[in-house]
Amino acid sequence: MDAATGLPSAQALRERLQGAAYLADEALATSAWLAGTLERPLLLEGDAGVGKTALASALAQVQSARLVRLQCHEGLDLAQAAYEWNYGRQLMAIRLAEASEQRLAEADLFSRSYLMERPLLQAISSEGPCVLLIDEIDRADEAFEAFLLEVLSEYQITVPELGTLRARQIPLVLLTSNGTRELSDALRRRCLYHYLDYPTLAREIAIVKAALPQADTALVEEAVQFVQRLRREDLAKTPGIAETLDWVRALHRLHPQALPEDMGALLLTLGCLLKTREDRFMLTPERTRQLIEGRRSVGVAEKG
Amino acid sequence: MNTTPLPLSERLAGFAALLREHGMRVGPAEQRDMLATSLHLGSLDMDRLAGAWRAIACSNARDWRQWPAVFEQYWLPHRIKGTVKVSGQTRPRRDLRSQLQQMHEGMDGDAPSGQAASGSADQGSSDETQATQARAQGGAGRGQPDALHERSAQMWMPQDLHALQLLARQIQRQLQSLPTRRWQLHARGRRLNLRATLRRSVAHGGLPLAPAWQQPRTEPPRLFILVDVSRSMESHAAFFLRVARAMAQAADARVFVFHVNLAEVTPLMRSDSATVQEKINAVTAGFGAGTRIAHNLMEFARRHARAQLGRQARVWLLSDGFDTDAPEELAQALQTLRGHGARITWFHPTRQAPASLAVRQARALVERFHPLASLADLARARPYLH
């Protein structure tokens, strides 16, 4: 525990994450710890399926914090991300006031009770510890990034009718990006940065074992080796950790000991890993057998 | 001799300067955070400190990948067997490469040798002999005196730079934005966005006083420029990098250099520093003999630009086509890029398109080949770059 901040140290955080079935390496645990200590957002970049979103869930779990998630998409605006006035209720209040001949001040209409809080405002207003996940920020428009700057640097949101709402407790903010668009320098500078790559063989085996302790070790090792080799293939959609877990789960139910010898049976389960028709077409039984055996390409003898 | 170590803050300032030299955006705020972190963690556990500082100093995947080397270079120099000084200038190992290259040139006879042997491309020499040789390479013996704008890349006048920037802007304007399937709100849109209109009307008691219009969303092409900086390209790389730099600044292009490895140099390209070439030398440290075009294209497609390669992507390959990978691999790599929808343009320093077996096999996958040895060549290629 850090005496100055009251937060767990990087090592302690890593151990807690492990307890929540999220195996972070030392660098990732340090980055997450630093985000809490320096009260700065953490930008996580990496391919889809490497565990960026899962980190936010695990952090919320280990810190007993509320997880607030903002899923970004094209056209995301302030009304969907931060707040929106509840016009329906405001109109109803006006009509009720007219009917009862009461005087209604403008300040009454534009008060917090008529404000619908969206994820950003929910995180800012949270009384207790909170983890704010801004997922796939690269899908949002540049204009939305500009709005985020105020939230991420000052932890405040300005509502013209109400004034500036400041965070009661600084939330731990995680932004994720799959790199489909370059983020602005201004946004990057406000964040700490961590690039999450696909896990190494040993780490992925450990992740699968932690998530599926009932699965046979030999099966897990063979399956993860296969997935690691598969990631080196030219696929339209590279399988992530979630896909590995799905596949091992499926294999465990079908063949609890090891990868099946029968290619037909194995190919039936590959839908867990390969998510496009092209990838499925590319992975022929022969290529699948080569990957299981650890050969990268067709040998000279086989060519002849 | 005074052996008192410098205070951490001063050493950190030197480290921050080195990081900036490598294109990282490290300012006083980042230095302050790094110092605070070292107080939290203690300065003895360098590995943990390196991890924490990495999160503070890096801001993109490129920074992230080059961090370990830069960190070791400054803080743990004894671990480095290295080839590059902090200044970015190469050590004598380059002389060995130079000798090897001369041996190759001696054997090949037809390689563009004269200029490569006579000095580096970025020295800005105005030696007439060099200029003549460069013209011979770029102009391929056209037998007529070159106009000012036809002059070799090594002799840059302000008007040449201005012309290049102008060309880059013209090309950028020509890159056609493509409509996507999405629609976006626009004041002058031609289709009503019913959902948004209804939403806005709530604020006016249900009356649609503020209709929301929309139009198709367009996206500008994403330009990627890959510059071959291998030994055989030494006399042309400087010009290619100038073109790449102009496009990076005008069209927001991402620029990569490759030899046996691939490295992104976009941040350096966007800076106005006059010593950018030296910095690029530092980034490309460790590049050895041979050019692996196919390998690097695959690396580019799979790792560096995978998420951004789509039908709006334009890939410019600036290379002479000499590849040490197996000939069929180049076609496979280009096919991978085409599979993502990217359009590929190949710029070569010679008059004729590269004729190596690898390029011949992959010719159908390249949209166009353009000679590029002078500004005039770029101007001639301009109408086709859209």
Side-chain angles (χ1 to χ4, degrees):
Chain A
M1 187 75 78
D2 190 309
T5 61
L7 293 168
S9 68
Q11 183 58 31
L13 183 61
R14 187 182 178 192
E15 286 164 9
R16 285 197 196 178
L17 286 171
Q18 195 166 347
Y22 188 95
L23 300 192
D25 59 19
E26 188 177 353
L28 180 58
T30 304
S31 296
W33 165 79
L34 208 55
T37 305
L38 298 178
E39 296 182 340
R40 282 179 62 184
L42 175 61
L43 171 61
L44 292 165
E45 270 192 330
D47 283 344
V50 293
K52 302 184 293 293
T53 306
L55 176 65
S57 306
L59 280 170
Q61 188 181 334
V62 301
Q63 295 181 355
S64 304
R66 177 185 175 201
L67 176 66
V68 177
R69 177 174 179 168
L70 173 64
Q71 176 65 52
C72 297
H73 55 82
E74 243 181 78
L76 179 68
D77 60 13
L78 195 64
Q80 294 160 305
Y83 68 89
E84 187 174 20
W85 289 108
N86 192 338
Y87 296 116
R89 278 197 63 207
Q90 284 174 325
L91 281 171
M92 196 167 67
I94 292 168
R95 298 279 154 81
L96 286 173
E98 283 172 353
S100 60
E101 295 182 351
Q102 286 177 344
R103 186 179 168 79
L104 195 64
E106 189 178 335
D108 297 332
L109 275 179
F110 290 99
S111 62
R112 285 296 287 265
S113 56
Y114 292 102
L115 197 64
M116 291 195 288
E117 295 183 353
R118 304 298 188 209
L120 293 179
L121 189 55
Q122 284 173 17
I124 293 285
S125 311
S126 181
E127 298 281 355
C130 177
V131 174
L132 170 62
L133 170 63
I134 302 174
D135 213 3
E136 299 186 339
I137 179 66
D138 50 331
R139 287 177 185 269
D141 304 319
E142 286 91 345
F144 181 70
E145 264 185 51
F147 165 73
L148 266 187
L149 297 180
E150 183 192 12
V151 180
L152 297 182
S153 57
E154 306 295 333
Y155 294 100
Q156 65 182 31
I157 292 174
T158 302
V159 182
E161 296 86 352
L162 283 180
T164 300
L165 306 175
R166 292 195 170 76
R168 293 171 182 157
Q169 182 160 351
I170 302 290
L172 176 60
V173 183
L174 270 73
L175 297 98
T176 72
S177 166
N178 293 330
T180 55
R181 177 173 70 78
E182 288 295 309
L183 303 177
S184 70
D185 286 345
L187 182 71
R188 286 183 183 277
R189 286 210 66 182
R190 276 164 179 79
C191 300
L192 301 177
Y193 181 85
H194 192 97
Y195 186 84
L196 259 180
D197 215 337
Y198 289 108
T200 59
L201 176 68
R203 191 156 162 262
E204 191 163 16
I205 288 173
I207 290 168
V208 176
K209 287 296 290 176
L212 300 168
Q214 70 277 21
D216 189 88
T217 303
L219 172 69
V220 171
E221 288 177 358
E222 282 184 21
V224 173
Q225 277 175 4
F226 177 82
V227 175
Q228 294 259 334
R229 288 176 196 136
L230 190 62
R231 287 195 187 120
R232 291 197 287 266
E233 296 294 299
D234 184 25
L235 299 175
K237 167 79 182 74
T238 309
I241 299 169
E243 279 80 18
T244 310
L245 288 170
D246 282 347
W247 191 48
V248 175
R249 200 174 282 126
L251 288 171
H252 173 63
R253 291 190 182 171
L254 293 170
H255 310 278
Q257 301 302 321
L259 287 186
E261 290 294 323
D262 177 16
M263 275 303 117
L266 187 72
L267 285 170
L268 287 175
T269 64
L270 285 183
C272 298
L273 294 175
L274 304 173
K275 303 295 175 70
T276 69
R277 187 163 170 252
E278 293 77 22
D279 291 348
R280 192 71 190 77
F281 181 74
M282 192 208 76
L283 209 67
T284 58
E286 175 60 17
R287 188 75 195 115
T288 308
R289 190 170 60 77
Q290 288 167 5
L291 288 174
I292 290 173
E293 292 168 1
R295 281 181 284 152
R296 290 215 58 196
S297 58
V298 180
V300 175
E302 287 182 52
K303 271 185 177 171
Chain B
M1 182 179 157
N2 183 13
T3 57
T4 309
L6 288 169
L8 181 62
S9 56
E10 284 187 29
R11 296 176 69 196
L12 206 49
F15 183 48
L18 179 65
L19 293 175
R20 283 193 290 272
E21 267 188 30
H22 283 76
M24 296 190 203
R25 296 172 187 277
V26 180
E30 283 74 22
Q31 286 182 56
R32 193 178 58 237
D33 283 344
M34 288 162 83
L35 195 60
T37 308
S38 64
L39 295 175
H40 272 298
L41 293 174
S43 56
L44 293 177
D45 189 348
M46 287 305 278
D47 287 338
R48 186 166 293 177
L49 206 53
W53 285 355
R54 190 181 198 182
I56 295 169
C58 297
S59 60
N60 54 45
R62 174 193 162 277
D63 295 349
W64 189 261
R65 290 186 190 111
Q66 67 169 337
W67 171 270
V70 181
F71 183 84
E72 284 203 350
Q73 183 183 337
Y74 190 84
W75 295 100
L76 308 164
H78 57 278
R79 284 194 197 170
I80 298 182
K81 294 173 183 173
T83 55
V84 174
K85 292 177 183 175
V86 172
S87 70
Q89 294 189 344
T90 49
R91 286 184 180 177
R93 204 187 84 162
R94 198 174 176 84
D95 290 346
L96 179 62
R97 278 178 49 198
S98 166
Q99 288 169 17
L100 283 171
Q101 180 64 23
Q102 283 175 353
M103 285 167 61
H104 278 293
E105 287 164 2
M107 286 187 289
D108 296 344
D110 58 348
S113 58
Q115 201 172 29
S118 62
S120 68
D122 53 334
Q123 286 172 346
S125 163
S126 60
D127 183 86
E128 186 58 32
T129 312
Q130 275 193 345
T132 310
Q133 286 167 342
R135 275 199 297 275
Q137 289 159 18
R142 288 147 51 113
Q144 56 185 18
D146 290 339
L148 182 68
H149 67 292
E150 297 264 9
R151 201 170 43 208
S152 143
Q154 277 69 35
M155 298 174 63
W156 282 86
M157 298 295 187
Q159 60 267 35
D160 297 335
L161 285 172
H162 178 71
L164 175 59
Q165 286 161 359
L166 198 65
L167 258 176
R169 283 199 292 273
Q170 287 171 344
I171 293 169
Q172 186 269 332
R173 280 197 293 273
Q174 249 178 229
L175 294 173
Q176 295 162 355
S177 291
L178 293 173
T180 65
R181 286 177 298 173
R182 309 270 182 183
W183 290 70
Q184 65 178 7
L185 291 179
H186 195 277
R188 293 180 185 174
R190 53 191 164 82
R191 183 191 278 189
L192 189 70
N193 185 328
L194 196 60
R195 189 187 174 92
T197 303
L198 288 173
R199 200 178 182 81
R200 285 182 185 179
S201 68
V202 177
H204 303 286
L207 297 173
L209 297 179
W213 301 99
Q214 59 184 355
Q215 67 174 20
R217 181 188 165 95
T218 57
E219 278 185 8
R222 195 83 181 91
L223 181 59
F224 300 92
I225 301 178
L226 286 84
V227 184
D228 183 345
V229 291
S230 63
R231 188 68 176 169
S232 65
M233 289 286 295
E234 191 167 27
S235 56
H236 312 289
F239 175 60
F240 280 5
L241 286 169
R242 277 192 196 275
V243 172
R245 193 175 173 197
M247 291 309 298
Q249 289 171 348
D252 205 22
R254 285 182 70 185
V255 182
F256 297 81
V257 291
F258 67 91
H259 187 187
V260 292
N261 293 319
L262 182 78
E264 183 171 4
V265 291
T266 311
L268 300 181
M269 289 289 167
R270 288 186 184 150
S271 78
D272 281 332
S273 165
T275 57
V276 71
Q277 183 65 48
E278 189 184 339
K279 291 177 180 179
I280 291 165
N281 288 346
V283 170
T284 56
F287 284 12
T291 317
R292 301 190 62 191
I293 302 177
H295 165 80
N296 286 314
L297 282 177
M298 287 303 265
E299 179 78 359
F300 165 75
R302 285 180 178 169
R303 189 172 181 195
H304 294 272
R306 199 166 74 88
Q308 294 180 353
L309 281 176
R311 70 189 181 96
Q312 82 285 12
R314 307 280 184 275
V315 179
W316 290 6
L317 189 58
L318 281 57
S319 169
D320 56 7
F322 291 113
D323 192 2
T324 53
D325 285 323
E328 63 274 12
E329 286 183 20
L330 182 62
Q332 289 168 5
L334 290 173
Q335 182 58 55
T336 302
L337 289 175
R338 289 295 298 265
H340 283 94
R343 287 164 57 181
I344 304 159
T345 306
W346 191 308
F347 293 91
H348 46 87
T350 50
R351 288 290 100 190
Q352 302 300 322
S356 64
L357 180 60
V359 177
R360 286 206 306 272
Q361 288 180 356
R363 188 172 291 273
L365 297 163
V366 178
E367 192 173 87
R368 287 193 82 91
F369 286 89
H370 291 289
L372 184 60
S374 66
L375 280 182
D377 288 333
L378 187 62
R380 275 190 284 271
R382 183 175 65 84
Y384 304 101
L385 304 172
H386 46 72

